Amino acid sequence: MAVSHSNCLFCHLPSERIVFDASHHWVIRDAYPVTTGHTLIISKRHAETWFDLTDEEQAELNHLLCDQREQLLKQDASITGFNIGMNCGEAAGQTVMHCHIHLIPRFQGDSKNTRGGVRGVTPEKQTY
């Protein structure tokens, strides 16, 4: 059972947003997607970051990432890559202080320059 925090967006997800309900996590499609199929895997327990999850919760999250990747590939054969990302702490850009991970499908030509991928969080260091 999830521990709810009154002001936490992810502690109060409407059930219609949930596309998959696992033991320790919910899977939803991002409300503000970067690309089509942008998915979030969210801890049911109110833990702030991945580092606050138990080993069991981390293992399930990894399994769900792989499972959701396969589901997205079955739904859309034009997906050619993925970004996986999580922000741990305010300095890293975390805005909802509840553990969640982004699985972002990528498509050939969806960005002008993909070199450096997630390094783009600091644009001046993206290319090397």
Side-chain angles (χ1 to χ4, degrees):
M1 188 58 151
V3 175
S4 178
H5 288 257
S6 61
N7 61 346
C8 177
L9 175 70
F10 289 156
C11 283
H12 302 282
L13 284 173
S15 60
E16 62 270 9
R17 294 276 323 274
I18 299 169
V19 297
F20 188 78
D21 188 347
S23 296
H24 301 291
H25 299 85
W26 292 300
V27 177
I28 68 170
R29 299 297 176 238
D30 196 289
Y32 304 98
V34 173
T35 64
T36 301
H38 182 165
T39 298
L40 297 180
I41 301 170
I42 303 167
S43 172
K44 287 183 179 181
R45 182 173 65 83
H46 186 86
E48 191 168 307
T49 74
W50 181 86
F51 298 103
D52 301 312
L53 298 178
T54 66
D55 290 344
E56 186 177 338
E57 289 167 331
Q58 289 175 350
E60 182 182 87
L61 193 143
N62 188 55
H63 173 77
L64 288 168
L65 276 172
C66 294
D67 180 63
Q68 287 300 306
R69 175 187 173 272
E70 290 304 314
Q71 294 298 320
L72 288 165
L73 287 169
K74 285 178 187 174
Q75 293 170 15
D76 189 342
S78 68
I79 295 171
T80 56
F82 287 88
N83 289 111
I84 298 170
M86 80 180 73
N87 305 317
C88 296
E90 193 174 327
Q94 187 174 1
T95 55
V96 178
M97 304 314 272
H98 184 123
C99 182
H100 60 287
I101 188 165
H102 297 258
L103 177 62
I104 304 170
R106 299 302 303 268
F107 304 85
Q108 194 64 40
D110 69 359
S111 180
K112 192 177 198 180
N113 180 10
T114 59
R115 182 175 165 83
V118 297
R119 293 176 62 90
V121 299
T122 307
E124 63 274 9
K125 295 186 178 189
Q126 185 169 1
T127 55
Y128 53 95

